[in-house]
Amino acid sequence: MRPTQHSLEPSLSGRDTPVCSLGRALTDTGWFSDVGPVLSWRGGSGGYPYEEATALLGRLFRWTGNAAGERRCTEVLESILQERSMLGRDGLGYAFDSGLALPLLREPEPLAERVLGLMESGMASTSVTRPGWWSQSFGCHLLRSLAAVRRLGFERRVDALLEELVEQTFDGERFRTRAGSPATYVHAHCYAVEGLLIMEERLDVALAGARWLARIQQLDGSFPDWVGRPESLRPTDSVAQALRIWLLLDRVEFQRAIESAERYLRRCQARSGAMLYTPERSDECSWASIFSLQALTWASEGLPSGAAQELV
């Protein structure tokens, strides 16, 4: 089933709302690097070609019905996969990045098998260059990619990994980055909750994780990037993710948190309409913009039936 489509173009001539300006910014072809993948950042200090962001933008284009944009992202990803076995960064293959791309591929099963095999070996990346770092650890964020793998008919293997990850990383209110870690990376915590919502599994855990997000939200609507270790930033990506989570679970219970998150995201929009990573930076962030467009659209228009299945 194709997702409900949301046009990125304003429905009224000259209309300029945060959602419309953000949508226009994301259709700008300037997000694509010279070598193919979408850039992590645009403007400011410049960014790097980011395969994960390419998958996310392709999924966003599918959600909005932009077939040409989705096709361009798919072609970039499939071209990379002709040269390498997995998607990733800096010469490493990542289970997470590869899992996000699965819905866009014409033949996703071989990559899904490699993603599962890596996770079943207790790894998140094909090698480890930063021991203990969240994205290279067998940790909670992988629940998000498992959701895409599960749709391809790997239910038994996915469910075993799901239970293992929840058991190892959820402490009753928040997801730690990995087994044995005292720290939570809020961005990764949100990925974990999103994965459970998509799979419609352990919804008690998802609700507990959403309530924890509401408790740690700052007065300005933001979150610390880390809990349990020194924080340094208040990024927009986790705010947009939390906004989607709250809208999916209970708009009434989380009304105050939702309104505060919306205000923070609007504060962090660049003149172009794209989302800054933090209000202090001049870089426009691709993935934060992608999450924010869906979050602000849902906040203003309401959620369609089965919206969790449409999470970009």
Side-chain angles (χ1 to χ4, degrees):
M1 180 186 299
R2 296 287 291 185
T4 305
Q5 294 180 357
H6 298 262
S7 173
L8 289 181
E9 296 300 323
S11 57
L12 298 174
S13 177
R15 185 179 176 189
D16 191 18
T17 67
V19 170
C20 291
S21 60
L22 181 50
R24 286 193 294 269
L26 282 168
T27 58
D28 186 343
T29 57
W31 283 107
F32 287 89
S33 67
D34 292 340
V35 294
V38 169
L39 291 167
S40 57
W41 321 97
R42 190 175 69 168
S45 59
Y48 51 86
Y50 199 14
E51 293 162 21
E52 177 187 323
T54 309
L56 288 169
L57 187 59
R59 292 168 66 121
L60 181 82
F61 285 149
R62 172 172 289 192
W63 179 66
T64 61
N66 183 338
E70 178 188 345
R71 185 165 55 250
R72 180 172 183 177
C73 292
T74 296
E75 289 172 353
V76 169
L77 296 170
E78 291 187 334
S79 175
I80 293 167
L81 289 168
Q82 289 177 355
E83 303 295 328
R84 294 191 269 110
S85 63
M86 300 186 77
L87 301 172
R89 183 180 166 202
D90 298 332
L92 302 181
Y94 283 86
F96 182 82
D97 306 43
S98 299
L100 288 181
L102 291 173
L104 300 174
L105 304 180
R106 286 170 289 188
E107 297 182 3
E109 289 81 6
L111 181 58
E113 183 66 54
R114 291 192 286 274
V115 168
L116 273 178
L118 193 60
M119 291 191 199
E120 287 170 339
S121 69
M123 297 184 67
S125 54
T126 50
S127 62
V128 177
T129 58
R130 301 180 68 183
W133 186 243
W134 73 275
S135 62
Q136 294 186 11
S137 299
F138 180 70
C140 67
H141 67 294
L142 296 174
L143 288 165
R144 182 66 162 82
S145 288
L146 280 177
V149 177
R150 196 171 193 250
R151 290 176 174 173
L152 297 173
F154 296 93
E155 290 90 347
R156 181 183 59 80
R157 295 168 66 188
V158 166
D159 289 351
L161 286 165
L162 184 157
E163 291 301 326
E164 183 178 1
L165 285 167
V166 171
E167 176 66 26
Q168 289 186 2
T169 63
F170 188 68
D171 70 358
E173 62 175 6
R174 62 184 169 108
F175 282 97
R176 312 299 178 97
T177 56
R178 56 182 170 80
S181 171
T184 293
Y185 186 45
V186 177
H187 179 44
H189 169 92
C190 291
Y191 275 140
V193 174
E194 289 170 2
L196 296 178
L197 291 174
I198 296 169
M199 292 186 280
E200 298 181 339
E201 295 287 347
R202 299 302 304 271
L203 296 182
D204 58 324
V205 172
L207 181 57
R211 287 172 172 161
W212 177 77
L213 287 169
R215 287 196 297 274
I216 70 162
Q217 188 180 35
Q218 306 296 297
L219 291 176
D220 64 358
S222 69
F223 299 108
D225 49 359
W226 286 92
V227 171
R229 57 169 281 181
E231 61 173 279
S232 58
L233 299 171
R234 301 290 174 90
T236 52
D237 55 3
S238 56
V239 176
Q241 289 176 280
L243 178 53
R244 296 190 302 182
I245 288 166
W246 292 327
L247 290 167
L248 285 167
L249 281 169
D250 193 325
R251 188 164 192 150
V252 174
E253 176 178 346
F254 298 113
Q255 179 180 358
R256 186 171 298 177
I258 287 168
E259 292 172 352
S260 186
E262 287 184 79
R263 287 193 296 271
Y264 188 73
L265 291 177
R266 289 177 178 137
R267 174 189 167 201
C268 293
Q269 275 191 274
R271 289 186 178 181
S272 70
M275 199 61 59
L276 303 175
Y277 188 62
T278 70
E280 298 80 23
R281 294 178 63 156
S282 59
D283 303 285
E284 299 174 1
C285 178
S286 56
W287 71 89
S289 298
I290 291 163
F291 296 154
S292 296
L293 178 61
Q294 187 172 54
L296 292 172
T297 299
W298 281 351
S300 63
E301 297 182 5
L303 273 67
S305 176
Q309 304 305 312
E310 300 182 13
L311 271 167
V312 172

XYZ file of all heavy atoms in Angstrom, residues 51 107 299:
23
model
N 24.919 8.782 2.856
C 24.021 7.781 2.279
C 22.757 7.595 3.115
O 21.671 7.363 2.575
C 24.789 6.475 2.095
C 25.882 6.615 1.045
C 26.959 5.548 1.086
O 26.712 4.463 1.650
O 28.060 5.810 0.547
N 15.130 -4.632 -5.313
C 15.366 -5.991 -4.808
C 16.029 -5.876 -3.430
O 17.243 -6.005 -3.297
C 16.242 -6.772 -5.783
C 15.589 -6.979 -7.146
C 16.459 -7.794 -8.096
O 17.550 -8.248 -7.669
O 16.058 -7.966 -9.260
N 1.469 17.822 12.737
C 0.982 18.709 13.793
C -0.083 19.659 13.273
O -1.041 19.987 13.987
C 2.144 19.491 14.394
